[in-house]
Amino acid sequence: MRKKEMIAMLLAGGQGSRLGILTETKAKPALSFGGKYKIIDFAMSNCINSDVDTVGVLTQYQPLQLNQHIGIGIPWDLDRRNGGVTILAPHVKGDSGEWYTGTANAIFQNIDFISEYNPDYVLILGGDHIYKMDYSKMLSFHKKSKSDATVAVQEVPMEEASRMGIMNANELDQIYEFEEKPAEPKSNLASMGIYIFSWSVLKEALAKDNEIHPDSDFGKHIIPMLLEADKSLYAYRFNDYWKDVGTVESYWMANMDLIQTVPEFNLYEDFWKIYTDSDHQPPLYTGPNSEVRTSILSEGCEVMGKVYNSVIGPDVIIEEGAVVQSSIIMGNCIIGSGAFLDRCILDNSCVIGNGAVIGEGENIPNVERPQVYDSGITVLGESTAVPAGVKIGKNCVVYGITVSEDYEDLQLASGHNIIRGMEGDL
């Protein structure tokens, strides 16, 4: 196996519970974004654009759709004999096996994989952020500063710093203190969860911390341990677009960022392409009575109705007289004639009956999970069917094949749910 200067370990096993029903059947990194993409495409594309050609993808929660999407890495030019992409799931070792119990624990369980390449440096990434970043520039910074570990940081408004992991650094950006969600933050340098470690330092730290913390985590344990041991840690400032799409509202807002006349985040720059595994689709079709404004339409769509300020995935059909506004419609959905959708998120393969109205009414938080559904967005889970003529309010969750009898007077009031055939979490 040819030695690599740096390999990437991409943490993609998270459940994403704050995204509610959207991650019931898939890991968060496998969630669609911006029409035809998946969230994990951004970190994967960043790797190959940065000349990082060896990527281990650590999966755990609901990995099927994620594994199918990644395959052998062809879209990202990672189908290689020496390096390329490798799926790393929890596995049996000796007489027993164990789940990944923390971000650092997941890396510790895959030390043998990293050791095969014996890299000088290891890049640790999350698979659930939207951004474009040249990791080679971060590596150059790491080497120039002779750092043992480099943490990518972004300046955030001071009022938001108390909700994040904050790196306190001197005028040379050398980190001297880490604070997890400090009540009174001393700085606004928030950790992005992107790290470069010198491999020898990381290997020793992982082994040592594993003896102390079975749920070893980079932010809670590894970074504080290195600081305590007087290791050299530096903050690498990243000043471009970066979004953690960990909630229903932030996911919706990040998609809406894409459709501005001059988008804050541009998916289509030639010099930094975002690659994805997409089938060859027929061209999109817009009918003679259709109207589309400030929206993204993916390949294979048929739009006979009206679409405003929305992101539409591949192979979606929007029938005559239907209106979709301020919504995210993922692939293979059918919006029936005369239906009206406002501030909705529809997962893949939903079917909306003729004349149904979704997203009208008072903005009342969800009765069962007000902390997840409180921003006026109604969410339909994967393969949900809504019958013709029903009215569904705001902050609602609908999942499964529903029929008219499920709706009292053909209505579902704001903040209420109809769940069919699901035992998991909303």
Side-chain angles (χ1 to χ4, degrees), residues 107-222:
I107 303 300
F108 173 76
Q109 291 196 43
N110 289 284
I111 276 181
D112 289 346
F113 171 79
I114 301 173
S115 296
E116 279 188 27
Y117 297 97
N118 190 27
D120 298 318
Y121 310 101
V122 178
L123 171 66
I124 308 294
L125 303 171
D128 52 5
H129 297 143
I130 306 299
Y131 66 114
K132 296 177 183 178
M133 183 175 182
D134 188 343
Y135 304 133
S136 67
K137 291 182 178 178
M138 184 176 173
L139 178 59
S140 295
F141 174 87
H142 178 86
K143 290 193 286 189
K144 185 177 179 181
S145 59
K146 297 180 180 176
S147 180
D148 292 312
T150 299
V151 183
V153 298
Q154 185 161 70
E155 293 186 16
V156 298
M158 210 65 186
E159 59 270 19
E160 294 180 18
S162 61
R163 298 189 287 106
M164 301 179 176
I166 296 299
M167 299 290 168
N168 297 320
N170 63 21
E171 65 278 3
L172 299 175
D173 284 332
Q174 186 167 16
I175 298 167
Y176 61 84
E177 185 182 28
F178 169 71
E179 296 181 289
E180 181 66 41
K181 299 180 179 177
E184 296 183 7
K186 299 171 189 173
S187 84
N188 64 340
L189 294 181
S191 170
M192 297 168 64
I194 300 169
Y195 313 97
I196 291 179
F197 291 93
S198 297
W199 172 224
S200 57
V201 173
L202 177 60
K203 190 174 184 178
E204 181 183 345
L206 289 173
K208 191 179 293 185
D209 197 63
N210 184 66
E211 296 175 2
I212 307 168
H213 302 111
D215 59 345
S216 184
D217 181 88
F218 283 107
K220 293 177 185 173
H221 306 127
I222 299 296

Side-chain angles (χ1 to χ4, degrees), residues 6-28:
M6 183 168 77
I7 72 169
M9 299 293 280
L10 204 165
L11 297 159
Q15 180 175 355
S17 58
R18 292 177 300 155
L19 282 162
I21 201 77
L22 294 172
T23 51
E24 171 62 23
T25 59
K26 64 179 79 69
K28 182 164 78 166

Side-chain angles (χ1 to χ4, degrees), residues 411-424:
Q411 296 192 34
L412 180 65
S414 291
H416 288 74
N417 311 311
I418 296 177
I419 309 296
R420 294 289 173 262
M422 186 190 87
E423 297 178 359

Side-chain angles (χ1 to χ4, degrees), residues 3 42 60 148 385:
K3 177 180 170 61
F42 296 88
Q60 181 160 281
D148 292 312

Side-chain angles (χ1 to χ4, degrees), residues 1 51 102 165 242 270:
M1 194 71 68
D51 293 324
W242 177 79
D270 285 337

Side-chain angles (χ1 to χ4, degrees), residues 29-42 45 69 75-76 130 251 255 258 267-270 273-282 284 296-301 310-316 328-332 348:
L31 189 61
S32 296
F33 183 84
K36 66 180 182 180
Y37 300 97
K38 307 286 187 191
I39 292 175
I40 198 171
D41 292 339
F42 296 88
S45 298
H69 179 68
W76 306 275
I130 306 299
Y251 172 77
N255 273 273
L258 303 175
L267 284 173
Y268 306 108
E269 292 167 324
D270 285 337
K273 289 187 177 179
I274 304 300
Y275 302 95
T276 190
D277 177 28
S278 57
D279 298 328
H280 292 291
Q281 305 281 359
L284 69 90
I296 290 176
L297 303 182
S298 301
E299 294 92 336
C301 289
S310 295
V311 176
I312 311 296
D315 286 326
V316 169
I328 302 165
I329 313 295
M330 299 185 208
N332 297 290
N348 297 307

